[in-house]
Amino acid sequence: MTMTAEWENSAGRLRNETEPNGLGLALATIGIVAVALAMTVAGYGLLGWAIVIGLASITCLWAGISLEVAEQRRLQGLGDERERSDGLR
């Protein structure tokens, strides 16, 4: 059991809570690439595939932008907590 606790503690120390997460940017990038793919597929006349890829691109863009906004709010909240704890209102 002590090995598990040490492993959890070391994993917790390696994770930095103040650095941004890159998942939102990755999803937004995939969404932009999917828009280009949907336009290409639509140009070839495969409208069914264009609709499917278009919906996937909208979903990826929405999720990516939402995650980035949430991440920015989280990081801003961490900054506000630090100011309050230091007494720097």
Side-chain angles (χ1 to χ4, degrees), residues 22-36:
L23 183 60
L25 289 175
L27 277 172
T29 304
I30 290 170
I32 291 170
V33 170
V35 167

Side-chain angles (χ1 to χ4, degrees), residues 17-19 73-83:
E17 294 294 331
T18 60
E19 291 186 12
R73 287 181 182 170
R74 183 186 71 84
L75 291 175
Q76 189 176 33
L78 285 176
D80 292 343
E81 280 182 19
R82 280 198 198 123
E83 288 177 8

Side-chain angles (χ1 to χ4, degrees), residues 3-86:
M3 288 183 65
T4 305
E6 290 174 8
W7 181 77
E8 289 172 357
N9 288 338
S10 66
R13 276 185 268 137
L14 291 176
R15 185 171 181 216
N16 191 349
E17 294 294 331
T18 60
E19 291 186 12
N21 187 351
L23 183 60
L25 289 175
L27 277 172
T29 304
I30 290 170
I32 291 170
V33 170
V35 167
L37 181 62
M39 291 172 60
T40 302
V41 170
Y44 279 105
L46 305 170
L47 296 180
W49 280 108
I51 291 171
V52 170
I53 297 170
L55 290 174
S57 67
I58 290 170
T59 303
C60 286
L61 281 170
W62 177 79
I65 292 170
S66 298
L67 282 173
E68 278 301 308
V69 168
E71 185 71 18
Q72 290 300 318
R73 287 181 182 170
R74 183 186 71 84
L75 291 175
Q76 189 176 33
L78 285 176
D80 292 343
E81 280 182 19
R82 280 198 198 123
E83 288 177 8
R84 278 188 234 124
S85 68
D86 292 340

